[in-house]
Amino acid sequence: MVRLFARDDAHGVRAVPARVLGRHEVAAALAVCAVDPVTAALAAARVAEWPEAGARGGGSVWAYPASGPPTAICWSGANLFPVVPETGSEREAALDAFAAAARLEGRRSSSIVGDAAVALGLWERLAPTWPRPREIRACQPSMAIARDPDVAPDPAVRRGLPEELGAILPACVRMFVEEVGYSPVVGGSSAYERRVRQLIATGRSFVRLERGADGRPFVAFKAELGAVTDQVAQIQGVWVDPVRRGHRLSESGVAAVVVAARRDVAPVVSLYVNDFNAPALAAYRRVGFEQVGTLATVLF
């Protein structure tokens, strides 16, 4: 049964021109994402996992228009990932529909992420009724590579092992705090640890482990394949321990991830980075990444 959005106003109940897709309609949603697979990688990865996730999926897929094959979708879960390939009046109509759906469901997402024009357009419509965001990152170059990297991959970078969680998790937490501004494990939350465990278990966590002065192993470099589809593997969470910065570990480390991802996962490897992070942009360009678009993130 198709679930339609509707809202009550002074004139009675009015339909919102969007609907919630059923799990049997995943192919239709992925077809929308396939128009620009790099830009839509975050949404496509969630949608592809959705049928198997069952009740644990924690998300839904909104579709525009409310009937017939979708021309735009929005993943709604811990994050909002709108995908609107259309331009002009069709884009505006789809964003109006998704904004109406978001207002009806209420904010439960920690961010809005997507193509800059789409994500910021959705936020512009939600700003009058949703809480003020912590930060808006309006220009995040989206970069991709579909060939061998231009720098030699670090031979010490490999997939993390489950028994190395004790070293990997603290590095992931430190990266998150540096990037977002707060700890993902504050208050004893276990969701972030489960996510790190899952990435390790599925072979999507990459690390370079070294030994400190005390002889204990620590993560000198790390990165994850945070979103994976048949077409694109998106690198996230690139981090170098402060004591090892300045040695270009990010370049050789990311190059190693690119080689492994293209060999084992998908033909295209992507990532996105804040435009104000000049050192990271320069490093990724040296690896061989080229900008293919611009994303934006609204953080709550």
Side-chain angles (χ1 to χ4, degrees):
M1 180 177 179
V2 174
R3 178 180 149 211
L4 298 174
F5 289 99
R7 62 172 179 263
D8 293 307
D9 59 22
H11 304 287
V13 177
R14 292 188 175 184
V16 171
R19 65 187 177 98
V20 179
L21 288 184
R23 293 182 189 268
H24 63 286
E25 299 177 282
V26 163
L30 291 177
V32 175
C33 296
V35 175
D36 185 349
V38 172
T39 298
L42 288 163
R46 298 296 182 271
V47 172
E49 297 168 352
W50 185 42
E52 287 73 31
R56 298 177 292 101
S60 57
V61 183
W62 305 340
Y64 170 87
S67 62
T71 60
I73 66 159
C74 183
W75 170 261
S76 174
N79 307 280
L80 281 183
F81 298 138
V83 181
V84 187
E86 301 287 347
T87 58
S89 61
E90 280 299 301
R91 171 177 287 181
E92 299 303 306
L95 290 176
D96 287 344
F98 293 151
R103 285 191 292 268
L104 283 171
E105 291 212 339
R107 189 187 73 80
R108 59 192 179 106
S109 303
S110 61
S111 67
I112 302 171
V113 186
D115 171 81
V118 171
L120 296 176
L122 181 56
W123 168 241
E124 181 181 1
R125 290 160 169 80
L126 293 172
T129 55
W130 273 26
R132 183 176 180 179
R134 290 188 300 107
E135 185 179 358
I136 297 177
R137 298 178 178 179
C139 183
Q140 297 175 302
S142 173
M143 310 180 80
I145 185 171
R147 56 177 178 80
D148 289 339
D150 292 335
V151 301
D154 184 347
V157 169
R158 56 170 175 77
R159 286 176 166 87
L161 303 175
E163 58 266 29
E164 295 168 335
L165 178 69
I168 296 173
L169 180 59
C172 292
V173 171
R174 292 173 68 187
M175 178 280 303
F176 191 99
V177 172
E178 287 185 21
E179 176 67 19
V180 183
Y182 65 90
S183 172
V185 295
V186 65
S189 173
S190 60
Y192 189 76
E193 180 177 339
R194 287 197 302 271
R195 173 65 172 165
V196 174
R197 286 181 182 273
Q198 178 193 39
L199 289 168
I200 295 172
T202 55
R204 289 161 55 180
S205 170
F206 291 81
V207 295
R208 174 190 172 108
L209 260 63
E210 299 181 1
R211 296 216 173 253
D214 59 0
R216 300 176 63 181
F218 74 97
V219 173
F221 164 89
K222 75 157 199 77
E224 294 87 38
L225 299 180
V228 169
T229 72
D230 290 342
Q231 297 168 290
V232 180
Q234 186 181 91
I235 298 177
Q236 299 176 3
V238 177
W239 184 81
V240 175
D241 189 285
V243 302
R244 296 291 278 122
R245 291 175 188 173
H247 298 277
R248 296 196 166 178
L249 288 187
S250 61
E251 295 176 26
S252 58
V254 166
V257 178
V258 167
V259 170
R262 293 192 65 244
R263 181 188 64 226
D264 303 331
V265 183
V268 178
V269 180
S270 74
L271 51 78
Y272 63 102
V273 60
N274 296 312
D275 64 335
F276 53 78
N277 193 344
L281 278 167
Y284 300 145
R285 289 189 179 113
R286 282 192 289 268
V287 173
F289 283 85
E290 297 180 1
Q291 184 171 353
V292 296
T294 303
L295 304 186
T297 301
V298 181
L299 292 164
F300 298 100

